[in-house]
Amino acid sequence: MLTQLMGKRGDDEELTAVARTVLALDPGGTRVERVLRDTIDAALDGPRTGRYVSARIVPAAPASGKPVVELDGGLWCVASPGDPLVVAPVLPTTFAGGKQ
């Protein structure tokens, strides 16, 4: 993405310098990815803030090795790209803490 920005905004010398520095220090993007993931996780912090991220789920294959959760009597996991669209399980109207 930084290389795309550099190409589109080549007239912005400051932006180009920042992009070149980031690319030189983190050519694969793993550091930036980790920092963004940690930042998003800290900002959401569902149990503390009440903010959550939704995810599409599918029935879990028996030997998928993915983390699973039991919902409506079945095992479910986060969908991968290409997984079929399925009808969501029925969720309870009350939860462990008694909140709705």
Side-chain angles (χ1 to χ4, degrees):
M1 174 143 172
L2 290 174
T3 54
Q4 292 171 347
L5 283 174
M6 289 169 53
K8 291 181 181 177
R9 298 289 309 197
D11 60 328
D12 189 331
E13 292 177 15
E14 291 176 349
L15 180 59
T16 300
V18 168
R20 283 192 179 127
T21 302
V22 170
L23 285 171
L25 294 172
D26 188 18
T30 54
R31 289 180 182 171
V32 171
E33 179 183 6
R34 187 176 60 245
V35 167
L36 289 175
R37 177 78 265 159
D38 291 348
T39 301
I40 290 168
D41 289 346
L44 291 175
D45 187 9
R48 187 178 59 77
T49 64
R51 298 181 196 122
Y52 291 90
V53 173
S54 63
R56 187 170 69 90
I57 59 174
V58 293
S64 70
K66 292 181 175 182
V68 297
V69 63
E70 184 176 346
L71 298 169
D72 196 28
L75 295 179
W76 296 79
C77 64
V78 174
S80 296
D83 281 344
L85 295 176
V86 295
V87 176
V90 175
L91 299 177
T93 56
T94 59
F95 298 92
K99 296 180 182 177
Q100 288 188 349

